[in-house]
Amino acid sequence: MLNLYDTQSGAMKPVQAEDGKQLRFYCCGPTVYAAAHIGNFRTFVVQDVFRRVVELGGLRTKHVRNITDVDDKTIRNSCAQGVPLQEYTAVWTDKFHADCKALNCLPPHVEPGAVAHIPEQIELVQMLMDKGHAYQSDDGSVYFRISSYADYGKLAHLDRQSLKLGETANTRADTDEYEKDSVADFVLWKARRPEDGPNFWPSPWGEGRPGWHLECSAMSHKYLGDTFDLHSGGVDLVFPHHENEIAQSRCACGGHSARHWFHVTHLLVDGAKMSKSLGNMYTLDQLQAMGYTPAALRYLLAAGYYRRPLNFTLAGMKDATAALNKLGRFDKELAKRAGDKEPTYRDLLKKRPEPGPFAAAWASLEDDLNTPEALGHVFSVIKTIKHADLSPEEAAATRRSFRMITEALGLQLPDPDADVEAPEEIRALADERWAARSRKDWAAADALRAKLAELGWAMKDGKDGYQLTKA
Ligand code: AMP
Ligand code: ZN
């Protein structure tokens, strides 16, 4: 059984389905105003590993992940470009789905969007109004009164004494994101403002739109009920987003909201927080343009322990590519010996293999999703296995056990002997080098060769042209 750290209790807890059969969980999804960056994908990939370990461990799942398609950023960008909000967000939703597919993330069972659930959100605000947990202020917006909920702050471990929650009536937050030191009554329904353009809906409190925190309470309630098994997001969501979700859900609907809270620590780039101003925000497309595969990014993201920051570097992408090739080579040798068909994730779910020589790796996955430790075990074991000594049956059994670990991590094993098509950007550099060589500009040609090598490509010169191979 999987043991996983729970943010709320600050302790390890077994991941359990309340009904013993199906784990019902909610993940906060993307805000679709641009392509998701590799930090976002750290969280989505870790959540996917979580789901795979739960399913391979023998439980079915119901996975709900929302699409935030109305908020300050989506409205701002769609208005600036003069495109209707839904048209604008549809493009980025499609892009998100394509990237998830490339990164081998299982699609959630339900993927509700906020705009399609306005009535449910209004109903939730009405429940909070009826029970005295919400009020309309003179700015026309409706706020949640945090002093009305005695457990406010428990998830983020806020100190209620120093917050003086009873005295916050005059402090209100009408933006979606704020820090712990500005704890305040938060907005449920935002009154219509001129800068919202055509993006407003009627409500009992006038025209406006939902606050960001509201959608996850309304949609988890609709698709998973008042109490469900687990809720997840990146660490930045602990406060205020999840704290506010708990307050809304418990005050409006009763129940416990989620019984287990699972948060993924952030991805850093070259040791620093990702930000537009530092210019260190990568997307999957950018990495592919440099010649890296989505499978290598998946490996890198899945290989970090989710409770520690993961530092992304391009050198790390190279190491991930090499490590993945090693696993691909091991699998191919086993396949040759076993002569069996390739075991897919679905096959393994139907007939769970014995972990066999990979028992220690599986145990690491079940111990707080310790993926680096699991991979450490895998690499130690594969060094000791001599393919030639295995009978076809033994090779097939070993392969199934091995694939149980790689499928739990969602790794797409490459065929190490397959010809790889160089991406356009690599071809452009190679063409440039070929031109430099033809005009005998050796310095430029050497510099370009070095640049290609840095990106993991080697160029073999022929009489009339060149050949590109993965270094
Ligand atoms: P957003 O699209 O901003 O709502 O974020 C989608 C998911 O990505 C949320 O679960 C965030 O907590 C998570 N996230 C944002 N930045 C990072 C990061 N640098 N590393 C890991 N997860 C992140
Ligand atoms: Zn959420």
Side-chain angles (χ1 to χ4, degrees):
M1 182 187 288
L2 171 61
N3 271 298
L4 195 73
Y5 183 79
D6 167 41
T7 312
Q8 181 138 25
S9 61
M12 296 285 289
K13 265 178 36 180
V15 172
Q16 279 172 322
E18 201 166 24
D19 68 1
K21 294 182 201 132
Q22 187 188 42
L23 190 92
R24 295 154 60 256
F25 71 106
Y26 188 96
C27 299
C28 290
T31 309
V32 282
Y33 70 106
H37 56 63
I38 56 172
N40 300 131
F41 280 115
R42 175 180 201 194
T43 291
F44 297 126
V45 163
V46 169
Q47 288 165 342
D48 187 62
V49 172
F50 162 78
R51 174 172 159 188
R52 286 163 177 265
V53 171
V54 168
E55 292 182 349
L56 286 168
L59 278 178
R60 283 185 293 116
T61 60
K62 180 170 179 183
H63 176 191
V64 182
R65 185 179 66 207
N66 66 305
I67 296 280
T68 299
D69 52 7
V70 53
D71 82 320
D72 296 345
K73 291 179 268 199
T74 45
I75 290 181
R76 181 196 62 208
N77 287 12
S78 71
C79 287
Q81 292 184 21
V83 180
L85 181 66
Q86 296 206 42
E87 224 173 89
Y88 181 80
T89 57
V91 171
W92 294 114
T93 304
D94 289 349
K95 175 65 183 145
F96 175 69
H97 288 153
D99 286 357
C100 283
K101 193 162 179 231
L103 289 168
N104 204 25
C105 291
L106 299 166
H109 302 102
V110 191
E111 198 176 42
V115 169
H117 290 78
I118 300 287
E120 286 85 347
Q121 296 179 75
I122 291 178
E123 197 185 323
L124 203 89
V125 178
Q126 190 62 61
M127 289 196 249
L128 291 169
M129 286 294 258
D130 294 345
K131 292 182 180 176
H133 291 291
Y135 60 91
Q136 185 165 27
S137 94
D138 27 357
D139 64 6
S141 294
V142 178
Y143 291 85
F144 183 94
R145 183 181 283 117
I146 56 174
S147 61
S148 73
Y149 177 51
D151 283 342
Y152 191 85
K154 273 206 168 160
L155 177 73
H157 303 285
L158 302 182
D159 175 1
R160 287 187 63 86
Q161 287 302 319
S162 62
L163 288 177
K164 301 196 181 70
L165 290 186
E167 296 164 26
T168 55
N170 294 325
T171 27
R172 296 189 193 107
D174 66 354
T175 53
D176 290 329
E177 288 167 80
Y178 48 91
E179 300 297 325
K180 277 188 196 171
D181 51 10
S182 34
V183 174
D185 287 358
F186 60 90
V187 71
L188 297 166
W189 186 259
K190 291 190 183 206
R192 179 183 169 187
R193 297 170 310 179
E195 58 268 37
D196 293 338
N199 304 302
F200 58 86
W201 291 264
S203 85
W205 316 281
E207 288 169 339
R209 63 182 168 100
W212 170 46
H213 312 298
L214 191 62
E215 68 178 272
C216 291
S217 286
M219 297 195 271
S220 63
H221 175 65
K222 176 163 180 179
Y223 296 103
L224 296 170
D226 296 341
T227 302
F228 52 98
D229 295 315
L230 181 138
H231 197 313
S232 178
V235 274
D236 56 311
L237 300 189
V238 175
F239 186 87
H241 184 54
H242 288 161
E243 194 69 62
N244 293 353
E245 257 189 75
I246 294 175
Q248 294 163 155
S249 295
R250 296 197 66 177
C251 291
C253 315
H256 291 284
S257 178
R259 297 188 297 114
H260 199 139
W261 287 87
F262 165 42
H263 290 105
V264 181
T265 309
H266 271 187
L267 181 84
L268 306 175
V269 172
D270 293 324
K273 198 177 153 169
M274 260 189 295
S275 78
K276 280 214 177 82
S277 55
L278 286 175
N280 63 356
M281 247 187 330
Y282 289 103
T283 62
L284 177 60
D285 282 357
Q286 285 167 331
L287 293 176
Q288 281 188 272
M290 292 174 180
Y292 297 108
T293 61
L297 179 61
R298 166 90 195 195
Y299 181 97
L300 182 145
L301 296 175
Y305 178 41
Y306 79 92
R307 273 214 276 153
R308 274 199 290 271
L310 175 64
N311 188 28
F312 175 90
T313 60
L314 290 176
M317 281 299 286
K318 264 189 232 161
D319 294 344
T321 307
L324 200 56
N325 281 337
K326 238 187 234 175
L327 298 180
R329 169 75 57 199
F330 177 75
D331 188 62
K332 192 167 181 186
E333 295 300 325
L334 280 180
K336 272 196 237 156
R337 195 98 200 130
D340 209 6
K341 80 171 182 44
E342 176 163 10
T344 64
Y345 181 66
R346 297 282 149 217
D347 296 335
L348 299 175
L349 280 188
K350 264 192 241 146
K351 196 159 176 272
R352 187 175 183 270
E354 285 301 320
F358 298 98
W362 181 255
S364 298
L365 291 180
E366 289 203 316
D367 181 13
D368 205 25
L369 296 178
N370 194 334
T371 55
E373 194 178 273
L375 282 165
H377 287 305
V378 167
F379 282 107
S380 314
V381 170
I382 68 176
K383 260 195 265 164
T384 65
I385 291 181
K386 302 211 171 18
H387 296 90
D389 296 346
L390 300 177
S391 68
E393 293 72 30
E394 285 167 337
T398 305
R399 189 177 188 212
R400 286 173 63 80
S401 306
F402 170 68
R403 290 295 282 256
M404 178 153 146
I405 307 298
T406 61
E407 285 298 316
L409 295 169
L411 303 181
Q412 302 138 289
L413 300 180
D415 176 349
D417 303 318
D419 280 341
V420 269
E421 177 95 11
E424 221 174 279
E425 281 72 6
I426 299 294
R427 289 222 160 266
L429 280 176
D431 286 342
E432 219 183 296
R433 181 179 165 275
W434 187 254
R437 189 178 175 277
S438 308
R439 61 171 191 270
K440 299 192 185 338
D441 182 350
W442 307 119
D446 284 350
L448 285 159
R449 180 194 283 285
K451 182 142 194 219
L452 282 164
E454 210 175 279
L455 297 171
W457 291 86
M459 208 170 151
K460 211 162 127 198
D461 301 329
K463 211 158 89 58
D464 308 311
Y466 62 83
Q467 205 192 347
L468 272 170
T469 50
K470 268 273 190 202

